[in-house]
Amino acid sequence: MVGAWVTVARVTDIPPGHAARVEIDEVPIAIFNVEGELHCIDDTCTHQEASLSEGDLDVERCAIECPLHGSGFDLRTGDAITLPAVEPVRVHRVEVSDGMIRVALRD
Ligand code: FES
């Protein structure tokens, strides 16, 4: 199920190569700008408590590397692509409307 659209930031707040952490209903989520394309996933790593928005963005693989132990997550699918994490993160819907970034959480 998909939740309601929530406006979370201005599109200019997250330039290419950058990320932002926001909370929707107390759920931390991370938004990434990969060469102008926005991606949104859960911010908390599925291995331990780490904020993925603070990780290194891998533009070529469209992935984020967890800052704590280095697991990679595909930003398009949420799949954990390198150990030690094995569980995927959720991928949320994200769009731009009138210069604002909006997100709809998935269950
Ligand atoms: S907390 Fe992310 S890989 Fe360990």
Side-chain angles (χ1 to χ4, degrees):
M1 206 176 118
V2 179
W5 289 102
V6 178
T7 300
V8 295
R10 296 177 200 279
V11 71
T12 52
D13 291 339
I14 314 175
H18 288 74
R21 178 188 188 277
V22 300
E23 290 195 5
I24 298 176
D25 296 335
E26 300 183 14
V27 177
I29 63 165
I31 302 165
F32 301 90
N33 185 330
V34 182
E35 297 184 324
E37 189 172 331
L38 296 174
H39 297 272
C40 182
I41 61 173
D42 286 333
D43 186 52
T44 306
C45 183
T46 57
H47 178 236
Q48 286 180 10
E49 288 286 322
S51 175
L52 294 175
S53 60
E54 296 174 6
D56 285 333
L57 192 56
D58 182 339
V59 171
E60 273 188 21
R61 294 204 295 174
C62 195
I64 185 69
E65 183 177 299
C66 177
L68 197 51
H69 306 113
S71 282
F73 291 89
D74 188 312
L75 296 176
R76 297 158 294 199
T77 64
D79 289 341
I81 52 178
T82 48
L83 295 171
V86 291
E87 296 293 325
V89 290
R90 294 180 303 169
V91 176
H92 305 291
R93 296 175 68 193
V94 59
E95 69 171 21
V96 174
S97 176
D98 290 333
M100 304 298 288
I101 298 172
R102 304 194 319 151
V103 168
L105 295 185
R106 286 189 200 277
D107 283 341

